[in-house]
Amino acid sequence: MCDPSDAETTRREILRRLSCGAVAAGGWSGVGPWELFRRVARLLQPKRICALEELPPNNSVAFAYPRAQDACLLLRTEQGELRAYSRTCTHLGCTVGWNAKSHRIECPCHGGAYDADTGEVVEGPPPDPLPRVVVEVRNGDVWAIGLREGGSLR
Ligand code: FES
């Protein structure tokens, strides 16, 4: 159900990177908001989102991760796959939402839309995909455990 195949940042990875001095070498100044978002997420604990049984296929639930002010969206596709993304549109920052009829993540501000399976832009002005949250099922509960690393993050 989860997507452990993608490159991801987990607590184990945090410890490895800290031990290598990567954070100290990279510094904290001069980074953009998404990079800062990603770095903060690396330092936080996994967070329970909901029970898997509370989220039937073709539904979504809002949650916050890694901080209380970081709005995110967990969705379960019609095929039962779990996906989670930041809810902040990469165009001008409006809050995106799941559209169960179109099966897309949509922005109400300027018609932006994202693919539910990948977070890639499928319509409108957003310049980048939605940052993706890595989720995992543990004992029937869905947890946010990190942020996907790589091309989907800015
Ligand atoms: Fe989302 Fe413009 S803010 S499309």
Side-chain angles (χ1 to χ4, degrees):
M1 304 290 309
C2 298
D3 191 9
S5 62
D6 296 316
E8 61 189 40
T9 302
T10 62
R11 290 179 64 204
R12 184 176 300 139
E13 183 65 9
I14 293 167
L15 294 174
R16 187 188 70 76
R17 290 183 183 191
L18 285 175
S19 68
C20 293
V23 170
W28 288 87
S29 61
V31 298
W34 287 114
E35 177 62 16
L36 185 58
F37 177 81
R38 186 170 66 93
R39 290 182 185 189
V40 168
R42 286 179 178 166
L43 302 176
L44 297 183
Q45 300 290 323
K47 182 175 182 180
R48 182 187 178 277
I49 303 171
C50 66
L52 181 60
E53 67 181 21
E54 295 172 356
L55 187 63
N58 202 30
N59 276 282
S60 69
V61 63
F63 67 103
Y65 182 81
R67 303 171 303 172
Q69 63 267 38
D70 297 321
C72 295
L73 185 70
L74 170 67
L75 62 92
R76 194 169 183 187
T77 68
E78 286 189 304
Q79 295 74 33
E81 297 291 327
L82 295 173
R83 297 288 185 266
Y85 303 97
S86 166
R87 291 191 74 187
T88 303
C89 183
T90 61
H91 180 219
L92 295 176
C94 290
T95 301
V96 301
W98 169 244
N99 184 325
K101 291 183 179 175
S102 67
H103 309 287
R104 304 188 313 184
I105 301 165
E106 297 177 348
C107 180
C109 293
H110 311 103
Y114 301 86
D115 184 282
D117 195 46
T118 64
E120 295 290 329
V121 178
V122 294
E123 188 173 319
D128 294 302
L130 289 172
R132 188 163 167 177
V133 179
V134 180
V135 296
E136 175 177 282
V137 177
R138 299 177 178 175
N139 297 321
D141 292 331
V142 185
W143 290 74
I145 61 169
L147 295 177
R148 181 177 175 182
E149 195 168 320
S152 291
L153 291 173
R154 7 189 244 171

